[in-house]
Amino acid sequence: MEIGLLWLANQARAVDPWGRYAGYVEEILQHAGLPYRRIGPEPERLATQVDLCFAIVIPANLHLPDDVKEALSRFVAGGKVLIGLGGPSGLEAVFGCRDRGPLREAWVGSWDTSVLPMLAGMSGPLHAFGGRWLEPVDFSVEVLASWLDGDRWCQAEGWQKAEVGPAVTLRRVGRGWAVLIGADVAAAVVRIQQGRPVYVDGIPPADGSAPVDDGILKTDDGIVLDYERDRQPIADTYFFGCPVADEWRELLIRFLLWAARATNSYLPMLWYWPRPLAAVGLLSHDTDLNEPDKADLLLENLKKLGIPSTWCVVYPGGYSPGFYRQLDRDGYEIALHYDARTQLGQRFWDEHHLRLQLCWLRDMIDEQQPIVSNKNHYLRWEGLTEFFHWLERAGIRCDQTKGPSKKGNTGFPFGGAHPWFPMDEHTAERIDVLEINLMTQDLVLTCPAEIGRACVDQAIKHYGVAHFLFHPAHVEKPGIPQAMADVVTYGREQGIEWWTSSAIQSWERTRRQTQLQFTRHDSAVGWVAKTSWHVPEATFVLFDPTLPWGEAETLQRKSGSVAERVSVYGFPAVVRSGEVAPDLPFVLV
């Protein structure tokens, strides 16, 4: 049986303005590799589709017709799981909670694992954008987490007496369960990832650790996470140590895995990486100043480490054509480092200048390999999602610009280790440019070395990408080569493979061509993976409800070993890897 996603045929059915992001729940499920089907909300479609689902997700707080409410009530009472996001959608009698009105911004506090132990891996407090205040109206409602009022936080005492009602609840309904998440998960993920529009300098934290008000418009001027409430201390500074957007994604995934187990349903997941890997790493190098001797030294250091990396080349260059050819021969990626910082000649914030610089780089390297990646010089940014459209029209498939420029906003200022596709703020359509968030620049020089290991640990915990920038311009400075070697070595010890930006975006697009299909023949049911592309090392995680809870190896690989029995998101599962091709489906169960 599958996951059902109640599909919004008309965005106007959302109660709140945040509901325009509801379609991003589908993007969350696609990236997670979970099989789902769109259902309803028209009653005639809903009636024929609910029998194929073990869980249904309501993606936002919706105005639902009475007959749809009745169908969903019967669905959950019959032994299935209903998950509501962003509010009760008029189903107060099912969720057992009254809608107390909209919230713009709040935090979800610690998790009550006594009811659902699978929440033990979640972090908190988690910053939310959009949702509803809730009030239980039935004694059977279990409160799994509560809202925290940001106005009741202070530096000295933290979140003392800040709880203001339930944020996540669970209720038994007949033979099934109703889960209500008061936060608008899709809105939180999109808002944290994309930030706020950048037209003026951002407001820096009071401690002076991130002076973003420097007169240069850049991505970290648009951070929506809170410098006071969302950072954690490390060494001699603070950093965004929790990938909050990834945590919101994970909350939905964990409830779906729990729903499969609660309904005795097998659920496969197309894993994020091949073979299987827990996470991957990315080193990028912005060629500011274009100094050949320093580029040679950095390349020598990289060869000693034996890893590929991505070189983001800035106009007007300075390296010889032979150096670019050597990079290409040795497996390094050549990407664009779009310069709108210099503001001279063809280096302004202008789509035409982006294309001119891209054409220059293509002519410079004179290779068949296309330029597919970009990072903006000084992380320059203006507006909200307009630049993603520039890249899309120019044929750039992947960007690395979302990240920190200051010591005090390193880590996960845009909420995630997972690569993500942006959503157009006006049309709510996906923009076909994969963003790979940057975590730090030049460890030791701009921030403590400890942040490197912390970011690797979080990337592994959330199965994402650990992305670090090391400039050739700093390669001779004390501690920089060792810091790069240390973070690469530490990542390897934890099972990370180091890839290029091009390889990451290519894998993400390739794996998404694989479809997990539920099959039924007489009384036998199963799952099969089919694809329109060749996927040589596809990995599948099968969540089997008969597997006992208990100790199991994680997907973290050490000494080259791969465990068949694994624990993923805290749930027991079996992992299988193999080749999938158009004429070679992969039978899972």
Side-chain angles (χ1 to χ4, degrees), residues 33 46 96 123 136 195 245 255 257 300 346 391 422 475 487 532 578:
L46 195 63
S123 300
F255 271 118
L257 299 182
E300 181 182 335
Q346 299 172 347
L391 294 175
V475 69
V487 77
S532 56

Side-chain angles (χ1 to χ4, degrees), residues 7-14 19 41-42 62:
W7 188 248
L8 288 170
N10 186 341
Q11 296 283 0
R13 290 180 175 172
E42 294 79 10
L62 308 180

Side-chain angles (χ1 to χ4, degrees), residues 13 20 68 70 86 92 107 115-116 128 155 186 212 260 294 300 349 357 360 453 462 471 473 500 536 562 578:
R13 290 180 175 172
R20 70 182 185 274
V68 172
E70 292 172 4
E92 286 83 356
W107 283 257
V115 179
L116 290 184
Q155 183 74 49
V212 292
K294 292 181 179 179
E300 181 182 335
W349 186 261
Q357 293 180 31
W360 161 81
R453 290 196 172 203
H462 293 89
H471 290 84
T500 64
V562 180

Side-chain angles (χ1 to χ4, degrees), residues 305-324:
L305 294 172
I307 64 168
S309 61
T310 297
W311 292 65
C312 301
V313 180
V314 68
Y315 177 85
Y319 302 157
S320 69
F323 182 78
Y324 296 122

Side-chain angles (χ1 to χ4, degrees), residues 493-545:
E493 290 171 349
Q494 308 310 307
I496 275 183
E497 285 186 7
W498 294 89
W499 290 14
T500 64
S501 175
S502 176
I504 292 169
Q505 70 85 26
S506 177
W507 174 259
E508 177 66 14
R509 295 174 188 279
T510 299
R511 67 180 280 272
R512 288 195 184 211
Q513 300 303 311
T514 302
Q515 303 296 319
L516 300 175
Q517 296 182 3
F518 180 69
T519 61
R520 177 180 291 172
H521 182 70
D522 295 331
S523 60
V525 297
W527 287 94
V528 63
K530 297 182 178 181
T531 183
S532 56
W533 291 8
H534 180 225
V535 187
E537 296 177 297
T539 296
F540 304 93
V541 178
L542 180 62
F543 295 93
D544 181 344

